[in-house]
Amino acid sequence: MEVKEKTGKDRSGVLKRIAGPVVTAVNIDAHMYDVVKVGNEELMGEVIKIQGEDTIIQVYEDTSGIKPGEPVVNTGLSLAVELGPGLLTSIYDGIQRPLSVLVDKMGDFIERGVSAPGLDHQKKWDFKPLVKEGDRVSPGSIIGEVQETNIVHKILVPPNVGGGTVKNIKAGSFTVDEVVCTLDSGTALSLMHKWPVRVPRPVQEKMNPTIPLITGQRILDGLFPIAKGGTAAIPGPFGSGKTVTQQQLAKWSDAEIVVYIGCGERGNEMTEVLTEFPELEDPKSGKPLMERTVLIANTSNMPVAAREASVYTGITIAEYFRDMGYDVSLMADSTSRWAEAMREISSRLEEMPGEEGYPAYLAARLSEFYERAGLVQTLSGKNGSVSVIGAVSPPGGDFSEPVTQNTLRIVKVFWALDAKLSQRRHFPAINWLNSYSLYLDTLHDWYDKEVSPEWNVIRSWAMEVLQKEAELQEIVQLVGSDALPEAEQVTIEVARMIREIFLQQNAYDAVDTFCDMSKQYDMMKAIRSFSDHAYAAQSAGVTPLQIIGVKSKNDLPQIKFIKDYKPELERILKAMDSEFNTLRSSA
Ligand SMILES: Nc1ncnc2c1ncn2[C@@H]1O[C@H](COP(=O)(O)OP(=O)(O)O)[C@@H](O)[C@H]1O
Ligand SMILES: [Mg+2]
């Protein structure tokens, strides 16, 4: 109680002022980001500002009805998550309370002040040690494993605990609290540990990502790839396909673990996620996708501060699985809701507003978040990665607003959704002219080796055709396509094929929903082959009308929907050859 004597304060104080999610307490000894219990109902909150006598707290639960004079108690702890077996398949709120436990405790209507641990503390897990007595372990070392779902959960020495020599280690069935290993230093290790969410988990080294996160989405893998350990943003107006894209990534990206943070765009959207996600099947294992997923859900009736917390909770869980040596992909849908939460809290704090009312630290918070992505060498010497993909929902689809602009400065991949494309039912409605990937150079060798030495060439070719089309479109709009030189009429046709055959992809078709790189390459090559024939024919005197009339190419789009497409593709290519031969010989 040394502190008390010095300051006249101790861990409990009283409430002075309540302003929505932000409350002020006095006479409490607190540090930044201490977790406090607010009011008679002990609502959970976090210290976000200390100003003279006043301690300002953001509360993760609805504060209506709480009155000045009610008690406030500082736990002296930081907001932390429980990390251990039981994370997978879980659905949490922003402060890692399992929604199922909340619902059991109080029915569908979430009451306040309910505390529920993130992990099940009764359940027993079979622990298999991987070290033995006398072995030396250090922070972040793997001491054993638990078969959690079809994922092996590695048990780590917590990164913030000193290492030492293993004095004792047990095999068998344990709860997450039971000691499975002791070190000569006296440190006792169990299957779980806690980690403060605002502190990035340490790694040995961050590395330059050189392998793409393959998503099976042609416009992403083919034109604008994200690296494993990379960052990407999907901005787009309402209804343009942010959620569908994020869910496609959750289902199909070749990450081993998925962390999905839903921030409730519309009223019922999270409800949809909550009912739909558990139904989704993991296309690789045929088992429920939830077996390798942790879902964090903020419904729109949850207070804004919980959204803030959910982002940190999610990224910390992602880092934890990365530390086991896994590739993790984290989706946040939508980061705009998080930014709005920051704006609301900031305005309650009466801080000087920055652009459009967002706090001046918006950019810093966003970059701290995305910087937690990366391909790393873990403390135990393995490679692991966290890829972060954030949706952004700019009001009215206007990309010049602060959240989109600040995100753009940080992330390396930009998948710009476009309302005009979604209105035309061109899906995914990603605009190929303003999207980009800054990983093309670092991924170049991978595509060269793993797909084909021709891939990078054909990709550049396709981008050129699409850009050329955009220029030509301006002319076409003025004078009509017949006024274009014949070669450029061919270009327009080839660009149309790239868009309609390659770029358009139906997330709801059983086959087209996922397209591997070798099929992507075959499809692009087929279009290229048409293009080569077409220009050759054109210079030999065949008219654009005849070229556009080549029938066999009309069968190309069907390739998307055929699983074993190769025989059909071969047939089309042969037919195309012979059609062009006929055209040229009669030209
Ligand atoms: N890749 C896709 N394939 C087919 N339909 C899509 C695709 N992307 C989006 N859509 C259509 O657009 C609708 C809106 O998408 P959604 O992801 O909910 O938008 P947002 O999250 O941006 O508001 C979907 O319900 C679906 O009909
Ligand atoms: Mg959405």
Side-chain angles (χ1 to χ4, degrees), residues 554-566:
N554 299 338
D555 292 336
L556 272 179
Q558 284 315 310
I559 292 298
K560 298 198 243 194
F561 310 110
I562 305 172
K563 197 158 190 289
D564 300 313
Y565 64 93
K566 285 198 192 252

Side-chain angles (χ1 to χ4, degrees), residues 35-274:
V35 169
V36 294
K37 307 260 174 183
V38 174
N40 295 325
E41 289 173 84
E42 303 194 333
L43 310 186
M44 190 163 163
E46 192 182 11
V47 174
I48 53 169
K49 196 170 179 179
I50 298 170
Q51 207 167 34
E53 285 296 291
D54 292 348
T55 298
I56 295 148
I57 297 157
Q58 63 176 351
V59 184
Y60 295 124
E61 296 177 90
D62 181 12
T63 56
S64 47
I66 309 283
K67 292 187 194 61
E70 288 191 27
V72 175
V73 180
N74 186 5
T75 63
L77 304 169
S78 313
L79 184 63
V81 282
E82 293 191 344
L83 302 170
L87 283 170
L88 296 174
T89 74
S90 286
I91 303 178
Y92 293 122
D93 74 356
I95 47 176
Q96 211 205 5
R97 297 184 302 182
L99 289 191
S100 59
V101 176
L102 293 183
V103 170
D104 285 350
K105 277 198 178 170
M106 52 208 179
D108 285 339
F109 185 75
I110 295 185
E111 285 170 39
R112 302 187 295 196
V114 174
S115 65
L119 299 177
D120 184 334
H121 287 245
Q122 269 76 53
K123 183 165 177 164
K124 294 208 170 212
W125 299 94
D126 276 330
F127 173 69
K128 191 175 114 200
L130 293 175
V131 294
K132 51 187 191 316
E133 278 166 37
D135 285 353
R136 283 204 54 85
V137 296
S138 46
S141 293
I142 295 167
I143 59 163
E145 57 190 34
V146 163
Q147 186 76 42
E148 186 174 1
T149 53
N150 51 340
I151 299 287
V152 175
H153 195 116
K154 317 270 185 201
I155 306 302
L156 308 175
V157 177
N160 53 355
V161 159
T165 304
V166 175
K167 196 169 138 199
N168 185 282
I169 186 154
K170 295 183 251 185
S173 180
F174 302 96
T175 67
V176 290
D177 293 315
E178 286 169 319
V179 173
V180 295
C181 175
T182 49
L183 306 183
D184 58 357
S185 57
T187 301
L189 305 174
S190 62
L191 301 184
M192 67 155 273
H193 66 268
K194 288 194 175 190
W195 190 266
V197 297
R198 293 185 189 275
V199 181
R201 289 172 62 89
V203 298
Q204 260 190 57
E205 193 192 347
K206 267 206 174 182
M207 298 181 293
N208 206 9
T210 53
I211 298 174
L213 180 75
I214 293 296
T215 67
Q217 313 303 303
R218 288 186 291 271
I219 187 162
L220 308 188
D221 301 342
L223 298 192
F224 310 111
I226 176 177
K228 280 198 176 114
T231 50
I234 319 178
F238 179 78
S240 57
K242 296 180 292 296
T243 303
V244 173
T245 308
Q246 294 270 46
Q247 295 192 357
Q248 285 294 90
L249 290 168
K251 270 191 256 181
W252 295 107
S253 71
D254 61 347
E256 290 151 304
I257 306 288
V258 174
V259 177
Y260 196 96
I261 309 170
C263 286
E265 283 274 274
R266 307 160 226 164
N268 58 352
E269 190 171 272
M270 269 329 287
T271 325
E272 279 167 29
V273 171
L274 291 180

Side-chain angles (χ1 to χ4, degrees), residues 480-505:
S481 63
D482 296 345
L484 288 178
E486 296 200 335
E488 298 188 332
Q489 294 182 40
V490 173
T491 304
I492 295 269
E493 178 63 7
V494 174
R496 187 191 63 79
M497 290 168 69
I498 296 174
R499 284 189 283 109
E500 293 181 5
I501 300 170
F502 190 84
L503 297 185
Q504 287 190 7
Q505 187 170 1

Side-chain angles (χ1 to χ4, degrees), residues 246-545:
Q246 294 270 46
Q247 295 192 357
Q248 285 294 90
L249 290 168
K251 270 191 256 181
W252 295 107
S253 71
D254 61 347
E256 290 151 304
I257 306 288
V258 174
V259 177
Y260 196 96
I261 309 170
C263 286
E265 283 274 274
R266 307 160 226 164
N268 58 352
E269 190 171 272
M270 269 329 287
T271 325
E272 279 167 29
V273 171
L274 291 180
T275 48
E276 280 168 19
F277 241 85
E279 307 269 300
L280 295 179
E281 190 179 278
D282 181 350
K284 283 160 242 166
S285 65
K287 296 196 167 145
L289 184 65
M290 284 304 290
E291 296 211 345
R292 56 185 184 93
T293 302
V294 182
L295 189 56
I296 297 162
N298 287 281
T299 59
S300 44
N301 60 357
M302 287 180 192
V304 289
R307 276 187 226 157
E308 239 265 285
S310 67
V311 167
Y312 293 95
T313 297
I315 193 91
T316 306
I317 292 172
E319 286 175 340
Y320 172 62
F321 282 101
R322 171 205 68 192
D323 290 347
M324 299 178 204
Y326 287 122
D327 291 315
V328 184
S329 60
L330 178 139
M331 266 63 76
D333 183 17
S334 140
T335 59
S336 296
R337 295 288 93 82
W338 168 36
E340 283 156 19
M342 277 189 243
R343 176 164 68 183
E344 182 168 341
I345 302 281
S346 170
S347 95
R348 301 279 187 179
L349 291 174
E350 292 165 8
E351 290 170 339
M352 176 87 85
E355 240 184 310
E356 291 188 23
Y358 288 102
Y361 47 79
L362 171 72
R365 292 282 168 84
L366 287 171
S367 82
E368 277 162 24
F369 167 65
Y370 283 105
E371 270 163 21
R372 290 175 74 168
L375 170 69
V376 308
Q377 185 172 36
T378 66
L379 293 180
S380 68
K382 290 177 175 285
N383 284 359
S385 68
V386 175
S387 310
V388 174
I389 299 124
V392 186
S393 22
D398 170 14
F399 289 177
S400 68
E401 59 88 44
V403 184
T404 313
Q405 283 303 312
N406 282 304
T407 305
L408 245 167
R409 276 181 214 121
I410 303 159
V411 299
K412 294 220 157 54
V413 179
F414 195 63
W415 295 321
L417 289 167
D418 187 329
K420 280 202 236 65
L421 291 174
S422 59
Q423 278 150 18
R424 270 174 24 206
R425 311 293 300 160
H426 172 111
F427 289 119
I430 294 171
N431 186 316
W432 51 91
L433 298 172
N434 19 343
S435 297
Y436 60 78
S437 164
L438 299 181
Y439 294 113
L440 286 172
D441 283 348
T442 48
L443 300 179
H444 186 280
D445 288 354
W446 186 92
Y447 282 96
D448 206 46
K449 246 177 76 197
E450 304 295 327
V451 183
S452 156
E454 291 296 312
W455 173 260
N456 291 298
V457 180
I458 208 168
R459 181 207 172 271
S460 307
W461 166 80
M463 280 306 295
E464 272 162 34
V465 173
L466 291 168
Q467 271 149 11
K468 182 78 187 165
E469 180 197 35
E471 289 162 25
L472 295 177
Q473 285 300 356
E474 290 176 18
I475 304 172
V476 169
Q477 270 167 14
L478 290 176
V479 293
S481 63
D482 296 345
L484 288 178
E486 296 200 335
E488 298 188 332
Q489 294 182 40
V490 173
T491 304
I492 295 269
E493 178 63 7
V494 174
R496 187 191 63 79
M497 290 168 69
I498 296 174
R499 284 189 283 109
E500 293 181 5
I501 300 170
F502 190 84
L503 297 185
Q504 287 190 7
Q505 187 170 1
N506 187 350
Y508 302 109
D509 179 83
V511 176
D512 199 30
T513 187
F514 177 86
C515 184
D516 66 25
M517 270 319 297
S518 88
K519 186 170 178 184
Q520 294 192 28
Y521 177 48
D522 284 345
M523 286 172 69
M524 202 60 114
K525 249 192 332 198
I527 301 170
R528 175 69 198 246
S529 159
F530 172 84
S531 169
D532 289 347
H533 273 311
Y535 287 111
Q538 189 266 323
S539 32
V542 180
T543 69
L545 210 62

